[in-house]
Amino acid sequence: MIPFVSSSFLLVGAVALLRAKKTLKKTRKVFRVYVDGCFDLMHFGHANALRQARAIASFASTGGKEGGYVEGAEEVELIVGLVSDEEILRCKGPPVLPEQERVKCVRAVKWVDDIIANVPYELTKEFVEELFSEKYGIDCIVHGDDPCYLPDGTDAYAIPKALGKYREIKRTEGVSTTDLVARLLEYADASENTTSQVGDESSGGKRSEKNERHEARFCTTASRIAQFAAKVSYSKTSKMHEETERRKTDKKQRKNERNEETTCCYVVGAFDVFNAGHVELLEECSFVADKVVCAVIADEYLTRDKTNQPPPMLNQSERAMSAIACRHCDDVVVGAPARLTDDICKTFNVTAVVFEDDDAVTERDRNVCEKNGVQILSVKERVFSRKKLTIAKRVQANRALFEERQKRKMASEKAYYEQKAFVAED
Ligand code: CTP
């Protein structure tokens, strides 16, 4: 039998512990995870890193698997640190896209709650302290399982690792900024070495021959699509919570004005090298319709495309993944027909249609729209429109600098793939 003194002592101790837990719960309920990076030519590998980082945070906040950072935390927030243009230039070589466009792309990813722009490449002691301080309230720092070195060869994440506040996620296979730059450089080669027009079948053929090294290696599984398509809920303190609530109110108001009719905006496009222009387009569509469906055109139609645009750099599954990750898009058709049909209008109850490229609208599309009472919206006013061609030209214009950067990055990427072993994923 436990003596009276020690049992009452135990009781007092237990009460004190419960109180302490309660106080913790009251003071802190949101688990904040931080992911930093360049996010240049934002691709679905970046999006998957952000998705996984949020999943790690969910485990931690519920006390599961990696748990134990914040007792009683019930919600998660994902904060992205975006490395500045100057820092990328100093540590990696020139960025393809300037910060303003990189911010636009990262902010549009549905797992992101907020962005800290202009962060340094190096996680210095001072900056890490600032992240863990009241100012940012970060609980844990996350990066992919690829090694990340500073120009002096030291580990960029050494400090958070030593503090036990670092977690690793699985890098997504078969895609990287380096890989995309390589594809763009090969396109530049193909268009310089041929007398035929850009977008002509003969130049497309030459590119794919040359491009063997960089053909798609990403495995689009059904479970990956399901993970990307899942709805995200935001904590009450998240900036995104405010934004989604505002959108809900707008939609309700629009519905009342139209006597409950739900509107669907069907957006037809390649969505290749997903960029700020696409984000802007989809955001605009989300302002005018209740539902935005991205029709990601099938590869077979794009390779036959005779427009003046570069050939597709990414295949249809890769292109679709970026669209699915975008918060402004409600659903995606993976490998859609290039033309609008009566059947599509009925299936999705389309009320408005937008073509990524205005010039792509044909007489047949106009007839289908007229017959089905579908409005054709124009996107001419977009600030970042027609970005793929601009991006390709930017890489071409700075070819020497990019080639220099590629040499270094491709060597480290090769080494990573050679030593790569299985990494479990959340
Ligand atoms: N990331 C990932 N899978 C990829 C590419 C990136 O998980 N295929 C992760 C990185 O590990 C990092 C974050 O995304 O945590 C941001 O990466 P970033 O700094 O932009 O570098 P990379 O995409 O690796 O670009 P680069 O090819 O220039 O190294």
Side-chain angles (χ1 to χ4, degrees), residues 37-39 46 49 92 143-144 146 171-172 175 177-178 405 409:
C38 311
F39 299 95
H46 290 137
K92 278 188 167 182
H143 186 264
D146 50 310
R171 188 175 165 89
T172 303
V175 65
T177 306
T178 306
R405 171 186 151 149
K409 287 296 297 179

Side-chain angles (χ1 to χ4, degrees), residues 114-373:
D114 204 359
I115 288 182
I116 308 174
N118 238 337
V119 303
Y121 192 80
E122 185 175 351
L123 281 162
T124 57
K125 189 168 168 287
E126 295 71 36
F127 187 58
V128 170
E129 276 170 9
E130 210 179 339
L131 287 176
F132 293 137
S133 74
E134 281 280 301
K135 183 173 174 191
Y136 295 118
I138 301 297
D139 297 293
C140 142
I141 294 177
V142 169
H143 186 264
D145 62 282
D146 50 310
C148 186
Y149 300 117
L150 297 169
D152 67 3
T154 55
D155 181 0
Y157 293 86
I159 293 173
K161 277 180 188 171
L163 290 171
K165 294 203 170 200
Y166 174 83
R167 286 290 177 273
E168 211 155 77
I169 40 125
K170 181 178 178 161
R171 188 175 165 89
T172 303
E173 79 285 359
V175 65
S176 67
T177 306
T178 306
D179 183 68
L180 288 179
V181 171
R183 296 187 202 193
L184 287 162
L185 279 170
E186 281 171 0
Y187 159 71
D189 280 347
S191 51
E192 269 170 24
N193 293 340
T194 181
T195 45
S196 53
Q197 284 278 300
V198 169
D200 187 304
E201 271 171 23
S202 58
S203 68
K206 269 185 190 161
R207 181 189 164 270
S208 56
E209 224 173 76
K210 276 202 70 168
N211 208 18
E212 255 164 23
R213 267 183 314 127
H214 296 288
E215 67 194 12
R217 282 173 291 133
F218 173 61
C219 307
T220 321
T221 58
S223 53
R224 179 74 73 228
I225 293 180
Q227 286 165 335
F228 267 51
K231 286 253 176 297
V232 180
S233 61
Y234 302 103
S235 79
K236 289 216 164 52
T237 48
S238 167
K239 284 196 175 155
M240 289 308 152
H241 173 74
E242 214 177 284
E243 196 179 307
T244 34
E245 286 305 301
R246 202 175 49 238
R247 293 237 166 127
K248 266 191 221 158
T249 320
D250 288 351
K251 274 186 188 175
K252 255 189 210 154
Q253 201 178 328
R254 274 204 305 267
K255 250 187 168 162
N256 288 342
E257 285 164 9
R258 289 186 316 263
N259 294 331
E260 298 303 305
E261 193 204 332
T262 303
T263 52
C264 169
C265 186
Y266 189 79
V267 193
V268 188
F271 295 97
D272 196 22
V273 190
F274 200 82
N275 57 63
H278 295 124
V279 172
E280 207 176 25
L281 166 67
L282 295 177
E283 190 173 16
E284 264 180 45
C285 295
S286 76
F287 288 142
V288 297
D290 299 327
K291 192 173 177 191
V292 176
V293 176
C294 278
V296 177
I297 299 175
D299 291 337
E300 59 188 288
Y301 300 111
L302 292 179
T303 42
R304 277 194 255 131
D305 189 3
K306 299 272 182 194
T307 63
N308 223 16
Q309 287 289 310
M313 303 287 147
L314 297 152
N315 70 26
Q316 68 186 42
S317 329
E318 296 176 310
R319 291 182 280 114
M321 293 308 281
S322 292
I324 305 174
C326 179
R327 69 173 80 246
H328 307 303
C329 168
D330 298 289
D331 209 349
V332 170
V333 182
V334 184
R339 307 264 61 90
L340 196 66
T341 62
D342 289 342
D343 193 34
I344 289 173
C345 293
K346 285 174 200 152
T347 304
F348 293 98
N349 201 13
V350 179
T351 46
V353 67
V354 175
F355 285 83
E356 182 185 333
D357 183 354
D358 277 336
D359 304 334
V361 189
T362 63
E363 204 43 48
R364 200 181 113 189
D365 294 320
R366 286 186 210 286
N367 291 339
V368 171
C369 286
E370 201 177 318
K371 186 172 160 202
N372 292 279

